[in-house]
Amino acid sequence: MLGLLAAATAIPTWTGTAGPVKSTPSLPSTAASRPTVAPCPTPAALTAAQLKTRAQQKLGQVSTRLSASSATRQSLTTVEAGPSGCDAIPGGLAYVHLLQWATDTTIGGTSTTTRTVLFEEQRWRADDASGRVIRGRYPGGNQPTDDSTYYLGQLDGPIGPIAADPTALTAQIDTTQPRFLGPTAVIRGLVSLLGWHTSNQAARTAILTVLRGTPGITYHPSVTDRAGRTGIGVSATADDIRFLLILNPSTGELLAYERAALTPPADSDRNGAFVDD
């Protein structure tokens, strides 16, 4: 039985058909007075040894550190969908590198064994919902790696890029998580989009606009995820389950997502929120 602990995505990058682009565009010489834009990260896939080392980190024992919360509608005005080094990289595919930690519990007779499993996915997606996914895990199990190609329309989600207009973006969210289900549906719908699509600056502006206009969403000015990165948090709660996005405060790009039960299970020895995804 798998109990998911944490899912964290690297900042997404644009790639060409041959894979991640390793170089980043240089800024024009006239841009000296503009804010410095960090280069676009292009994380390489982990080696088997690196997967093993990461999987053995006791990340499940560390709760995501949340700062005091406030109403999102006012507080998110301080967050910018600023330029990202990833915006100008050419290519026909969106690329997302995802790491996910999980607990794998095996029950045999009177004994129970729990171990941490690390999943890694590299996702390439075209606007026509075709693409490729390379999956790996440690410990390897029966299928340590998987390399799958998806043809036109075979990947889930809307055709085309993430919408740059708030109304059109809302329609995309509704395809997976209808907004009438409440603020948690908005967060889950955005996760579905951002887990497979990269967002340009205009799309990130639309995302922040939708979040500001959604009642019931809470803002956390400082959140550190399980990969050690600090961003801003946007959360919503329903049925004692908290859904949390962690965003880069300068660009609005997605860093991580988690789902946590605010009341741990009765048989759990944990205090506070119990992360299960």
Side-chain angles (χ1 to χ4, degrees):
M1 178 178 66
L2 288 177
L4 302 181
L5 284 178
T9 61
I11 297 177
T13 66
W14 283 104
T15 71
T17 55
V21 176
K22 296 302 180 184
S23 61
T24 57
S26 60
L27 293 174
S29 58
T30 57
S33 61
R34 299 176 187 172
T36 301
V37 178
C40 185
T42 53
L46 299 178
T47 65
Q50 289 171 327
L51 276 172
K52 179 179 179 180
T53 299
R54 290 282 189 99
Q56 292 173 339
Q57 293 176 355
K58 295 185 180 301
L59 297 171
Q61 306 301 317
V62 181
S63 297
T64 300
R65 296 181 291 278
L66 288 177
S67 59
S69 62
S70 60
T72 297
R73 192 169 301 191
Q74 294 79 22
S75 302
L76 263 182
T77 58
T78 63
V79 181
E80 295 184 11
S84 164
C86 302
D87 291 337
I89 293 183
L93 300 172
Y95 172 71
V96 175
H97 186 187
L98 180 142
L99 299 178
Q100 182 176 51
W101 287 267
T103 54
D104 184 2
T105 301
T106 303
I107 301 175
T110 59
S111 64
T112 301
T113 303
T114 300
R115 62 180 179 175
T116 299
V117 180
L118 174 62
F119 296 89
E120 178 183 42
E121 288 192 10
Q122 293 187 88
R123 298 172 174 178
W124 291 264
R125 181 188 174 102
D127 285 346
D128 63 4
S130 64
R132 179 185 180 190
V133 179
I134 299 177
R135 302 178 179 91
R137 58 170 284 170
Y138 182 87
N142 295 329
Q143 290 184 313
T145 60
D146 176 70
D147 189 342
S148 299
T149 298
Y150 298 86
Y151 298 98
L152 190 150
Q154 289 188 332
L155 287 173
D156 292 336
I159 300 295
I162 295 179
D165 172 75
T167 301
L169 176 62
T170 297
Q172 288 183 335
I173 293 172
D174 283 344
T175 63
T176 59
Q177 298 289 335
R179 278 170 56 98
F180 70 80
L181 296 176
T184 60
V186 175
I187 289 182
R188 286 179 288 164
L190 287 173
V191 168
S192 296
L193 290 172
L194 293 169
W196 289 94
H197 302 75
T198 53
S199 55
N200 60 25
Q201 189 173 4
R204 296 194 299 274
T205 299
I207 289 170
L208 290 175
T209 300
V210 169
L211 288 172
R212 291 187 190 110
T214 302
I217 285 182
T218 300
Y219 170 77
H220 308 268
S222 179
V223 184
T224 301
D225 70 8
R226 283 173 170 73
R229 300 168 299 182
T230 299
I232 63 102
V234 179
S235 69
T237 302
D239 299 324
D240 212 31
I241 304 295
R242 183 185 66 210
F243 300 85
L244 172 70
L245 297 178
I246 303 176
L247 306 176
N248 183 313
S250 300
T251 65
E253 291 168 302
L254 176 67
L255 297 178
Y257 160 77
E258 74 170 32
R259 184 182 67 203
L262 298 184
T263 302
D267 57 350
S268 172
D269 58 359
R270 301 194 182 201
N271 295 318
F274 179 86
V275 177
D276 65 356
D277 185 10

